[in-house]
Amino acid sequence: MGVRVVVVDDHRLLAEALASALKLRGHRVLAATAPSAGAAELVISRAPEVCLLGTSTPAEPGVFEPVVRIKRERPQIAVVVLGPVPSPRGIAAAFAAGASGYVRQDERIEGVERALAKARAGEPAIAPGLLQGAFAELLNPAAQPDDEGSRLLRLLTPREVEVLVRVAEGEDTRLIAAGMAIAPSTARTHVQRVLMKLGVGSRLEAAALAARTGLLDRAAPPRGAGEA
C-alpha cells in the first residue's frame, strides 16, 4: 500500500526526481518542493502520512525548525530526514526536533521506501548504528544531570527505566521483549507507559529528552538487571 508523502529538499530538482521515483513505485506524492518560508505550511496543509525532508546541512542550527512546527501542529505527520553521511549531532538534532528517522542520501530507493513505511507505522526509521552514535554524542561529554532529569526519573518504575535505556539504545519492541524475557505485548505496554509519563509522542523523543536532561546518566542500571 502506497504512502501519502510530501517531499521537501534543498534542491528542487532532487525533490522532483525523488517524487517521480516514488510515484512510479505506487506512492501518492502530494507535493514536491524546495525549502522556503512556506515549506512547513505546505506540509501541514497537505497533511501527508510522511514528510520526507532532504537537507545537505543537518548539523546547521535552525535547519529542523520546520520539523518542530510540523510536529507541534500536526503530530500525526511523521518526518523522515534525508541527509548526507551525518555527524551524530546532526542526527540528534533531527530526533530532538521530532523527526521519526534519518536516511542517508546515498540510500537506494528501496531503503527510502522502507523508511517511509516504518515512519508511517510509528517505528524509528534509522539504522541502529546511526541511532547509537547520535545518542552517544548527546551524552558525551556528560554534563551534570539537572533537576528535570531527577524529576523524570522519579516518575518511572525500575522496569520502565530499563525499557527507556533500551529505547535509547535503539532497540525495537521485539528486541526489548527478548532482552527482558517478556512478551512483545508487555514490552509495548511498558514503552507506551514510559512515553505517557515523560509526556512525549515517540520513542525518539523519549530518548532525546532522557539524554538532554541527564536522565540516562542517573538511570543506567547494569544491563541484564531486568532479564532474570
Side-chain angles (χ1 to χ4, degrees), residues 1-222:
M1 180 179 177
V3 177
R4 289 188 296 107
V5 60
V6 167
V7 180
V8 179
D9 195 279
D10 286 344
H11 304 285
R12 184 177 298 277
L13 287 178
L14 292 180
E16 292 176 351
L18 182 54
S20 296
L22 290 172
K23 286 179 181 177
L24 288 174
R25 300 178 73 89
H27 301 284
R28 184 182 176 193
V29 179
L30 305 180
T33 185
S36 67
E41 288 86 346
L42 175 66
V43 174
I44 292 167
S45 66
R46 296 297 178 89
E49 293 172 306
V50 182
C51 168
L52 187 59
L53 176 68
T55 177
S56 58
T57 56
E60 190 171 292
V63 72
F64 295 123
E65 288 181 5
V67 181
V68 174
R69 181 173 176 191
I70 291 167
K71 297 305 294 184
R72 182 176 65 243
E73 299 191 24
R74 290 288 188 274
Q76 70 274 22
I77 299 175
V79 179
V80 173
V81 175
L82 182 67
V85 177
S87 70
R89 189 161 296 280
I91 299 178
F95 294 158
S100 298
Y102 192 106
V103 179
R104 285 170 45 161
Q105 287 173 334
D106 57 0
E107 179 63 77
R108 297 172 63 88
I109 188 65
E110 293 85 358
V112 175
E113 285 188 294
R114 286 193 295 270
L116 294 178
K118 283 188 174 183
R120 179 175 63 179
E123 300 177 9
I126 183 169
L130 294 181
L131 183 62
Q132 291 167 6
F135 290 114
E137 178 81 7
L138 279 180
L139 293 170
N140 185 32
Q144 286 295 321
D146 59 20
D147 291 341
E148 180 68 4
S150 299
R151 183 187 69 81
L152 293 173
L153 188 59
R154 288 194 296 269
L155 296 175
L156 305 177
T157 68
R159 198 71 158 166
E160 290 165 350
V161 169
E162 182 177 359
V163 168
L164 178 58
V165 170
R166 290 178 179 276
V167 166
E169 291 178 350
E171 294 188 7
D172 59 17
T173 300
R174 178 181 56 81
L175 288 176
I176 292 172
M180 298 179 67
I182 57 178
S185 59
T186 303
R188 192 174 298 109
T189 297
H190 282 315
V191 170
Q192 290 303 316
R193 286 177 178 168
V194 169
L195 299 185
M196 180 184 67
K197 288 183 177 182
L198 295 183
V200 296
S202 73
R203 299 179 186 211
L204 294 176
E205 289 177 287
L209 175 64
R212 189 169 63 248
T213 60
L215 192 160
L216 292 179
D217 291 331
R218 297 191 177 211

